[in-house]
Amino acid sequence: MAPASPAAGPPLCRPRAVVGPQGPWHSVHDDLSATGVVLVYGRLAQWLPHIQDVARVRPVLGRDWHRYQTLTHPRAKERFLASRLLLRHAAAVAIETAPDLVDLAYQPGGRPFVRGCDQIDISLSHTEEVMVVGITSRGRVGVDVELAARRMAGTGSEAQGCTPYERQRLDAADGRDRNDTLVRLWTLKEAYSKALGQGLRFRFTEFGFALDGTWARLVGPDGRDAGADDWVFATFAVDGKYVVSAAVQDAGFGGGTDLSVQTALDAGLLDALLDTTG
C-alpha cells in the first residue's frame, strides 16, 4: 500500500485491517519499516473468538488484567480485552517481540505507552465495534475513531468543540455536510489531544482545523495557520461507516529504523557498560 502524503509531515497510509492475532501482520511491519508510521484497525466480532478463553488471554493482558476485573458490563469487558490484545499484538510486531512481553503502562491522563521502549509511540481508540491503533517511530501519534453517522449537529457540539473559524465554515454547509464535518473535526481534535497527552483537558475551542480532502491543517481560533509543520493530520473512512482520524508528529527521528528490542542497545555499548575490569 503506497503512502499518501500531505504538503508537509510524515507519510501516512490508510489504516490496515487485521482480523485477529494472525494478522496479516507482515504488511503492518512493512508499513512501519518504510514510513515510520502505521495505522491498524480490527472489528470486535473478528477478535471475539480469540478472547473467549480468558485464562489463556490473561498472560497477554499483563497489568491490564486488574483493570479488566473491575469492569462489570459484559460488552465493555469484551471491548477492553479485544482492544488491548490488538494494541499488544501491533506493538509486538513493531518491536519484534511476543505480545505477552509487551509491557503496557499508562500516563496519568490514561495515554498508553510501552514501558522500556521509547523508540515507539502508540495510541488506541475504539467505538462499539471497531478498534484502532496508531504506532510511530517518528515522534508522537494520536488516533480516534467514531461512527460516521453519529449525530452531532444541533447537539451543542458546535459551541463545545469548535472555534469561531470552524463555526463560520459549518454555517456555510448544508445539514448532512455539517454533521459529517463535525464528526471529522471532533475526531481530529481527539487524535491531536491524545498525541499531546492532554485528552479532553485541551479545550477544543482553542484550536481548529482547516480541512482539505483527506488532510487537515492546524489553525488558530481565527483560522490563521498555527505553524504545526512537523505534524500531519488525516481522516480516513473505514468499512464505509466509521471515521478514523490520526495526528502524527515528525520530531526528526526519521523512518525505516530498526525498532527491534533485540537491537535497541548496541552490543558494543552494552559490553562497555558491563565492563567491570576497568
Side-chain angles (χ1 to χ4, degrees):
M1 183 185 300
S5 297
L12 187 59
C13 297
R14 291 184 56 82
R16 291 273 191 185
V18 287
V19 298
Q22 70 272 22
W25 293 109
H26 65 277
S27 298
V28 175
H29 185 273
D30 290 347
D31 283 352
L32 188 60
S33 297
T35 69
V37 188
V38 68
L39 305 177
V40 301
Y41 75 95
R43 303 178 192 87
L44 181 59
Q46 294 172 329
W47 283 76
L48 284 180
H50 306 285
I51 64 175
Q52 297 307 309
D53 189 346
V54 178
R56 293 183 62 185
V57 173
R58 180 175 179 176
V60 184
L61 278 180
R63 302 169 190 269
D64 281 329
W65 173 253
H66 300 292
R67 185 175 174 187
Y68 167 77
Q69 289 182 302
T70 67
L71 300 175
T72 57
H73 193 283
R75 199 62 169 174
K77 297 182 77 155
E78 289 177 345
R79 206 160 44 240
F80 183 85
L81 274 178
S83 63
R84 267 55 184 186
L85 284 183
L86 172 63
L87 179 55
R88 277 184 162 82
H89 276 81
V93 168
I95 59 178
E96 298 181 15
T97 190
D100 59 329
L101 297 180
V102 174
D103 189 4
L104 277 187
Y106 300 88
Q107 295 177 352
R111 191 173 193 272
F113 66 95
V114 180
R115 191 187 297 271
C117 292
D118 292 340
Q119 66 265 39
I120 63 169
D121 193 50
I122 61 176
S123 184
L124 170 68
S125 180
H126 53 78
T127 63
E128 289 292 325
E129 299 297 333
V130 169
M131 311 163 294
V132 179
V133 168
I135 299 179
T136 186
S137 60
R138 289 177 170 270
R140 291 269 193 162
V141 63
V143 295
D144 192 63
V145 58
E146 186 56 74
L147 192 67
R150 176 185 174 185
R151 182 172 174 266
M152 298 190 71
T155 64
S157 298
E158 294 95 333
Q160 296 175 4
C162 295
T163 65
Y165 166 79
E166 290 170 326
R167 291 199 299 271
Q168 184 180 29
R169 300 298 293 267
L170 285 168
D171 288 341
D174 61 30
R176 176 61 185 272
D177 287 343
R178 183 184 185 92
N179 198 77
D180 290 349
T181 301
L182 269 171
V183 172
R184 185 179 176 193
L185 288 172
W186 190 270
T187 56
L188 282 166
K189 294 189 180 200
E190 287 270 17
Y192 184 45
S193 296
K194 289 178 181 180
L196 295 176
Q198 294 297 312
L200 293 176
R201 291 172 295 177
F202 193 4
R203 290 173 60 89
F204 284 3
T205 54
E206 295 177 357
F207 67 101
F209 288 96
L211 306 181
D212 181 15
T214 297
W215 310 104
R217 180 170 48 87
L218 186 68
V219 297
D222 59 359
R224 295 183 183 179
D225 190 275
D229 293 337
D230 55 338
W231 287 85
V232 60
F233 305 96
T235 305
F236 303 96
V238 167
D239 284 357
K241 58 186 297 188
Y242 297 97
V243 172
V244 173
S245 286
V248 184
Q249 181 197 29
D250 188 343
F253 300 150
T257 56
D258 185 355
L259 303 177
S260 171
V261 291
Q262 302 301 321
T263 56
L265 188 61
D266 179 80
L269 176 60
L270 182 60
D271 289 342
L273 291 173
L274 297 179
D275 183 10
T276 59
T277 59

